[in-house]
Amino acid sequence: MPAISFQSVSKQYSTSRGVLQALDGVSFDIAQGEFFGLLGPNGAGKTTLISILAGLARATQGRVLVDGHDVQTDFAAARRTLGVVPQELVFDPFFNVRETLRIQSGYFGVRNNDAWIDELLEALGLADKAGSGMRQLSGGMKRRVLVAQALVHKPPIIVLDEPTAGVDVELRQTLWQFIARLNREGHTVLLTTHYLEEAEALCSRIAMLKKGRLVALNRTSDLIRMAAGNVLRFKVDGELPPALAAQARITGRIVQLPAPDAVAIEQLLAEVRRAGLTVEDVEVRKADLEDVFLEVMATDLSAAGGHRWQSPV
Ligand SMILES: Nc1ncnc2c1ncn2[C@@H]1O[C@H](COP(=O)(O)OP(=O)(O)OP(=O)(O)O)[C@@H](O)[C@H]1O
Ligand SMILES: [Mg+2]
């Protein structure tokens, strides 16, 4: 039985400007013990999908099963199985960190949880903040508490919606070590992040959403293998010709272009020079998940190439 099964999930929001299709027939399964990544640009529907999974929003169509429990008709069982770290920071400001975690334990009917709470505080670098009021914590500290809160009942399935947004490098590493340990111990992990390096390093499989539709579903390694191969990176002193700019990833003066082989690299550089530009700091690197992500998002969904990135296993 899959840990999570999304079955033709659609969600429409009625807004003042009409109906917004936030999710459109999303179907995929996450196996027990997987470390799974859910990626997509802002507004793609990631949080909406997680909200439906967590029972915080209702699907307009379709259903979601958690360990075989329907999140709507069998809410309590589904909810107990899940630990969800929400994207938004919401807390009761009147409690301190330890109280917040005790209250959350009580909510799940877990008594005498202090040993595990101490372990969570230690693992998340919060040990010296146990007595601090939630109001006094910095944004990154609050996010650590959100993670701890989601884990108080040792849920077999851990869902993280951008847990590292606004979190410093050191904690990100500590957090990932801890989550990776829980995954090794058998917990299933569903992660949403805009840090594609993190997703590449951690997730064995990845799904990508675009405008509410599933546009990629595959092993991380297979996705990267399917991408351009190499990327040519250089600095340039002016504007690229439009034909090149259209294929390029441009960050200030730095230009990155997909280039499968040496011939392509030479042709691209010749084209840049023909445009009268000076090129500096040339390097070639292997394509990574960010390149794949940009390529998938640029793919026309309606075209035959739309299924290229999807493999059911
Ligand atoms: N309560 C709501 N009412 C109306 N529209 C909503 C609501 N919640 C989300 N949406 C819309 O649904 C779409 C998907 O939003 P969602 O928050 O799921 O995206 P996301 O992939 O999580 O984006 P981000 O990366 O910015 O977190 C967006 O167009 C958003 O504006
Ligand atoms: Mg979101």
Side-chain angles (χ1 to χ4, degrees):
M1 187 199 307
I4 302 172
S5 181
F6 295 106
Q7 303 179 356
S8 310
V9 179
S10 293
K11 174 74 182 176
Q12 296 175 344
Y13 288 113
S14 324
T15 70
S16 52
R17 274 175 286 157
V19 173
L20 187 138
Q21 187 84 37
L23 292 171
D24 187 0
V26 173
S27 296
F28 65 92
D29 286 355
I30 299 174
Q32 304 281 350
E34 267 197 287
F35 204 128
F36 192 95
L38 177 64
L39 309 180
N42 290 139
K46 305 178 298 294
T47 298
T48 302
L49 194 64
I50 287 172
S51 303
I52 293 169
L53 169 68
L56 302 170
R58 257 172 191 275
T60 314
Q61 277 128 40
R63 59 179 200 154
V64 182
L65 305 182
V66 174
D67 259 351
H69 307 289
D70 187 302
V71 297
Q72 272 180 25
T73 59
D74 200 0
F75 173 76
R79 188 68 193 81
R80 259 197 309 276
T81 312
L82 291 173
V84 182
V85 181
Q87 184 172 11
E88 300 291 333
L89 296 169
V90 273
F91 287 107
D92 194 323
F94 300 106
F95 297 110
N96 69 33
V97 172
R98 183 179 293 279
E99 287 162 348
T100 301
L101 298 179
R102 281 185 177 151
I103 291 165
Q104 186 75 8
S105 304
Y107 174 74
F108 284 109
V110 185
R111 279 163 219 280
N112 306 321
N113 205 20
D114 274 350
W116 176 237
I117 288 177
D118 283 333
E119 204 177 326
L120 286 172
L121 292 173
E122 189 62 43
L124 294 164
L126 284 167
D128 58 339
K129 296 278 187 277
S132 305
M134 290 304 302
R135 241 195 299 228
Q136 297 144 26
L137 298 182
S138 70
M141 294 287 175
K142 285 192 183 114
R143 196 162 289 283
R144 301 181 197 202
V145 180
L146 271 189
V147 175
Q149 229 183 340
L151 298 176
V152 288
H153 58 302
K154 294 192 182 165
I157 303 175
I158 302 167
V159 180
L160 306 127
D161 193 354
E162 290 188 50
T164 48
V167 166
D168 66 43
V169 181
E170 210 180 318
L171 174 69
R172 267 198 256 165
Q173 284 175 2
T174 326
L175 175 64
W176 291 134
Q177 272 167 21
F178 185 53
I179 300 292
R181 190 194 101 193
L182 293 174
N183 177 246
R184 278 195 305 276
E185 291 170 3
H187 295 257
T188 306
V189 181
L190 169 57
L191 163 69
T192 286
T193 182
H194 289 287
Y195 294 101
L196 298 182
E197 263 179 59
E198 290 181 356
E200 181 175 337
L202 292 159
C203 303
S204 52
R205 265 196 329 140
I206 282 176
M208 295 188 198
L209 292 180
K210 178 184 173 183
K211 295 181 181 157
R213 290 218 221 153
L214 185 73
V215 290
L217 175 66
N218 219 321
R219 289 184 181 286
T220 312
S221 53
D222 288 339
L223 282 173
I224 291 166
R225 212 172 300 132
M226 286 158 70
N230 296 299
V231 173
L232 171 67
R233 183 184 185 280
F234 55 87
K235 272 192 194 161
V236 78
D237 63 346
E239 230 171 272
L240 283 188
L244 277 184
Q247 332 160 27
R249 196 161 126 196
I250 301 170
T251 319
R253 292 180 55 211
I254 298 171
V255 174
Q256 302 191 69
L257 283 158
D261 52 26
V263 176
I265 291 166
E266 280 175 28
Q267 281 171 352
L268 289 169
L269 288 173
E271 235 177 292
V272 177
R273 291 207 185 89
R274 265 203 304 280
L277 300 169
T278 307
V279 166
E280 273 178 64
D281 295 345
V282 179
E283 64 183 57
V284 177
R285 62 167 177 82
K286 290 257 171 272
D288 60 18
L289 189 62
E290 196 160 329
D291 301 302
V292 180
F293 181 83
L294 292 168
E295 203 178 321
V296 172
M297 292 307 147
T299 305
D300 182 359
L301 286 179
S302 54
H307 290 291
R308 173 171 167 222
W309 306 98
Q310 296 188 37
S311 158
V313 196

